[in-house]
Amino acid sequence: MSLRYLTAGETHGPQLTAIIEGLPSHLPLDFEALNFELARRQKGYGRGRRMQIEKDTAQIAGGVRHGYTTGAPVALIVENNDWKHWQKIMNIEPMEGTDEEKRRVHRPRPGHADLNGGLKYNHKDLRNVLERSSARETAIRVAVGAVAKQFLEHFGIRIAGHVIRIGEIEAPPHNLPLSELARVTEASSVRVADSETEKKMEAYIDKIKEEGDSIGGIVECIVEGVPVGLGSHAQYDRKLDGRIAQAVMSINAFKGVEIGIGFEAGTIPGSQVHDEIVYTKERGYHRSTNRLGGFEGGMTNGMPLVVRGVMKPIPTLYKPLQSVDIDTKEAFAAQVERSDACAVPAASVVLEHVVAWEVAKAFLEKFGGDSIQEIERNVQGYLAQLEEY
Ligand SMILES: Cc1cc2nc3c(=O)[nH]c(=O)nc-3n(C[C@H](O)[C@H](O)[C@H](O)COP(=O)(O)O)c2cc1C
């Protein structure tokens, strides 16, 4: 069965919900680890007040018994603590009251889904768009990805994400092993490995915030332990690099994606781009470099996957940008309620989880089975085949 999920829920509604279908039975789930991932998404220098209101934890409302998946759909719930302040405004029952009482939104924010969604769904209250387009939804995507991460860890596949750039401050390259990178960046307020860069990024975010502005950046995710042959060259929608690119672009505010050296590949000769193939008895076939980020022909090549995404600055600004009121059609300068100045560190956590999901999905397609034991047998058979090759 192929793996899939759907999410539902609004930013000021009672909860976010996800249903995951296609997980095998007998996957042990570590609930603490799952909640740890949710807490990681909430951290980061430059976040606004909402993250202080929410203390995200996931409840499991189906598909798990005595610590293991049963093979039934897994239902996940993340409650919104803020809901208690919004019960009337977000009530599903019809509501009498003024626009003010309903917190009706009629002034679309540039860079957000407000106006497009209002026009498309014929809403005169743009709150009906804003509530769902909010990046609060990434909380439940992290919960879903955390389950995928645990599935991958069971098969020795590990993931770490970190921040490469915030605005004009770039982190220097590092040579840390994956586990060390994860440990060091976890202790950093901006999820960078280098403490000098951390200080510079904090100061830069402060400056941007003082100016009433917002700032984006670049985040990277590395996946190790992925066997050769996930994805396929044989059909456009089976190419795993393409699927990962779609998933990354679906994260709120992400405007670009790179695999390996990415766009740089268009600026240097082929001899400096392609990774030479070598063979040793211990490692089998591998590449002497990893400039292509673990993909050739839409398939994994056994090298670590390296995926980068660029996040634009958050559209809700204290510094007003011009927009048009949908009631009066008059120009106004968009004012702000509450917003993050920089959510790039949080976005690196989201990136890890959407990539984890895509890799887990491709892994299950390759080694498909209804129980963990069946998948283990399939993996063993394939690894034996690779050894003989
Ligand atoms: C972790 C994270 C936090 C975000 N926080 C905010 C925020 O506080 N205010 C805001 O206006 N946009 C925020 N965004 C971005 C918007 O959700 C996003 O720009 C919007 O949904 C429009 O979608 P698009 O930018 O992909 O076109 C955040 C994005 C991420 C990934």
Side-chain angles (χ1 to χ4, degrees), residues 47 111-112 133 135 251-253 255 311-312 314-316 339-340 343 346:
R47 306 284 327 255
H112 234 291
S133 70
I251 305 173
N252 305 49
K255 292 292 129 196
M311 182 188 189
K312 76 181 184 186
I314 276 167
T316 312
S339 185
D340 302 340

Side-chain angles (χ1 to χ4, degrees), residues 28 72-73 90 110 168 186 188 216 265 277 356:
M90 294 302 291
E168 61 191 38
E186 201 52 51
S188 162
I277 300 173

